Amino acid sequence: MSDEEGFPKQLLEQSMTERIAYFKNYTMAHPKLLSASQKLMLTVEEPAATSLMFLFGPTGVGKTTLLRRMTQKLLEATRPDMERDKGFIPIAGVETVTPEFSNFDWKDFYLRALTVLKDPCVELPISQRMTNLKLRMSVEGALRHRRLKVFYIDEAQNLSKVASGRKLRDQTDCIKSLANITRVQFILAGTYELLILRNLSAQLCRRSQDIHLERYKADNSEDLRAFQGIVQTFQRHLPLQIEPDLLKHWDFCYERCVGCIGILKDWLSRALFSALLKGDKTLTFSDLESHALKTEQCIILLNEALHGEEQLNSRRDTNALRAALGLEVATDVTPKTLQTSAKKTRRHAVVGQPLPQRRPVGGGHNAC
């Protein structure tokens, strides 16, 4: 069944739980998601494999959905290999937790990784569990044994929860080292807070790839048309007796999700649950309004998104790079040249003899 046709009509005869589950599990291949997905898959499959991929975007834009989509694709593509080798896992991942204290908990990360990799180490009693170093070695062994292609870390911005700048670089160095030793590609997915972990060293620049999952922007006509199409598709897949007219209120939908499809879907899921609970046949504008995020919440979401977008767009002039490489003569050298000249021509005073401009004016023992 295509997106144009909407949900299967037999759903109307099923329970409220099944109808809600259908909509929550429904994934739409919208343009922004497709673009990021294609770039992600190309990076995974390219011959000169990239060690680290940074997948970032605003909260609620659909990063977790993208990771699930990639997981399904890789599992389908490697199904024959998995049937031949029951120990083979092509892709796995964990969601990091926000540390209770100031520093990221690597022991917790290693244990979660070993759990998803089904390593026997995690079944040991707590008293017999190993140190961080031994746990890391166990993770390295499990990654190699399972012959993973990709390991993803969702909510990876939590890696930046450290006490100093030196440790900040250590975080990405640790992941890069895991990737190099095991030959597994790592995806760090998170909000724009993840940007601080990029480009911390020359090696990281060389071995990493940025993938930006953007929100839809109202000042872009193409984005606006795509967003309206997404709203219309969602309304067709809401398992209600009467299809709601969400498209009529697309601007309100945009306003309260700030262009992020994940936020929009969660919002519609809440409204659907409420409508089914009341026995309503459709969604009204009142339903949308009562389950929308508050204006102040949307402002916070938008400010964070704008700040992240600004960080990505503030690129230095390439002339500086070309001048540093010797490909071009630097044009903006006047201030520095003048400053250097001034330093060279400045008259140095003799000890004990004041400079002329320091002489008292209108009297004093040095006056004529």
Side-chain angles (χ1 to χ4, degrees):
M1 176 173 289
S2 69
D3 281 346
E4 299 297 326
E5 296 172 354
F7 67 90
K9 298 307 174 186
Q10 59 266 30
L11 265 176
L12 296 175
E13 301 172 3
Q14 296 179 12
S15 68
M16 181 179 79
T17 303
E18 289 170 311
R19 289 158 78 177
I20 293 169
Y22 165 81
F23 186 74
K24 287 185 72 174
N25 294 327
Y26 171 69
T27 302
M28 185 193 314
H30 58 86
K32 297 285 189 188
L33 186 71
L34 280 175
S35 176
S37 177
Q38 288 169 0
K39 187 174 182 181
L40 190 60
M41 291 304 295
L42 282 172
T43 307
V44 168
E45 298 295 343
E46 67 182 3
T50 303
S51 299
L52 291 182
M53 285 164 270
F54 290 91
L55 170 62
F56 46 79
T59 183
V61 77
K63 297 179 293 294
T64 303
T65 299
L66 177 54
L67 291 173
R68 283 201 300 264
R69 183 183 180 85
M70 184 189 65
T71 300
Q72 290 170 356
K73 284 187 174 183
L74 281 178
L75 290 176
E76 288 171 7
T78 57
R79 193 171 302 280
D81 294 329
M82 292 173 66
E83 289 173 355
R84 284 192 296 269
D85 181 359
K86 301 301 181 183
F88 172 49
I89 300 177
I91 181 170
V94 296
E95 179 178 323
T96 63
V97 296
T98 303
E100 294 181 7
F101 304 102
S102 59
N103 287 332
F104 180 76
D105 190 345
W106 279 101
K107 181 174 244 182
D108 176 79
F109 169 76
Y110 292 141
L111 287 171
R112 288 173 187 272
L114 290 168
T115 300
V116 298
L117 294 171
K118 303 186 187 321
D119 190 274
C121 171
V122 295
E123 297 180 7
L124 290 172
I126 295 177
S127 59
Q128 297 179 27
R129 284 182 183 168
M130 300 174 283
T131 62
N132 277 22
L133 177 59
K134 290 185 177 179
L135 283 172
R136 180 196 159 105
M137 293 178 70
S138 294
V139 170
E140 291 175 7
L143 289 169
R144 282 193 290 256
H145 173 70
R146 295 299 189 182
R147 297 193 293 114
L148 255 80
K149 189 174 185 65
V150 177
F151 191 91
Y152 64 83
I153 304 173
D154 202 3
E155 301 296 336
Q157 69 273 4
N158 288 324
L159 284 165
S160 66
K161 306 294 172 61
V162 293
S164 71
R166 180 177 176 81
K167 285 190 177 181
L168 194 63
R169 179 169 170 174
D170 291 345
Q171 302 294 83
T172 47
D173 282 348
C174 186
I175 298 295
K176 179 173 64 66
S177 173
L178 267 176
N180 291 341
I181 290 171
T182 61
R183 304 299 180 194
V184 174
Q185 293 172 292
F186 275 72
I187 300 173
L188 275 60
T191 63
Y192 289 124
E193 293 179 62
L194 188 60
L195 293 176
I196 197 173
L197 294 173
R198 296 160 57 247
N199 304 334
L200 292 176
S201 68
Q203 278 195 338
L204 194 60
C205 291
R206 176 174 175 252
R207 294 290 186 183
S208 65
Q209 174 71 51
D210 291 346
I211 297 162
H212 185 197
L213 181 52
E214 300 180 77
R215 66 188 181 92
Y216 288 88
K217 298 175 184 176
D219 58 359
N220 182 307
S221 58
E222 189 176 336
D223 278 12
L224 206 55
R225 284 193 299 272
F227 183 82
Q228 291 168 346
I230 291 165
V231 171
Q232 190 171 37
T233 302
F234 272 145
Q235 77 179 35
R236 289 174 179 154
H237 283 270
L238 284 164
L240 293 161
Q241 290 181 336
I242 301 173
E243 182 180 316
D245 190 3
L246 301 181
L247 190 57
K248 181 181 178 181
H249 309 292
W250 71 266
D251 54 338
F252 181 70
C253 291
Y254 183 88
E255 173 193 319
R256 296 305 173 92
C257 76
V258 298
C260 296
I261 304 306
I263 295 176
L264 175 62
K265 189 181 175 187
D266 289 345
W267 172 15
L268 294 178
S269 295
R270 294 192 299 270
L272 174 65
F273 175 77
S274 176
L276 292 177
L277 200 61
K278 293 185 295 181
D280 293 345
K281 295 182 178 181
T282 191
L283 288 182
T284 64
F285 180 74
S286 177
D287 293 320
L288 283 179
E289 199 172 29
S290 60
H291 294 281
L293 294 177
K294 303 301 180 188
T295 305
E296 55 269 28
Q297 293 174 308
C298 294
I299 290 173
I300 292 170
L301 290 167
L302 180 59
N303 283 339
E304 285 193 5
L306 291 173
H307 179 64
E309 291 162 2
E310 184 182 1
Q311 285 180 277
L312 287 170
N313 292 331
S314 59
R315 295 186 178 92
R316 292 182 62 185
D317 191 349
T318 55
N319 288 339
L321 173 61
R322 294 181 65 82
L325 290 169
L327 294 172
E328 291 181 4
V329 177
T331 56
D332 188 18
V333 295
T334 307
K336 186 175 180 180
T337 305
L338 289 176
Q339 186 179 6
T340 306
S341 264
K343 285 181 181 178
K344 286 181 180 177
T345 57
R346 186 177 295 151
R347 178 177 177 271
H348 295 281
V350 178
V351 177
Q353 180 179 343
L355 291 173
Q357 62 266 32
R358 292 183 183 173
R359 289 182 180 276
V361 178
H365 71 276
N366 285 329
C368 297

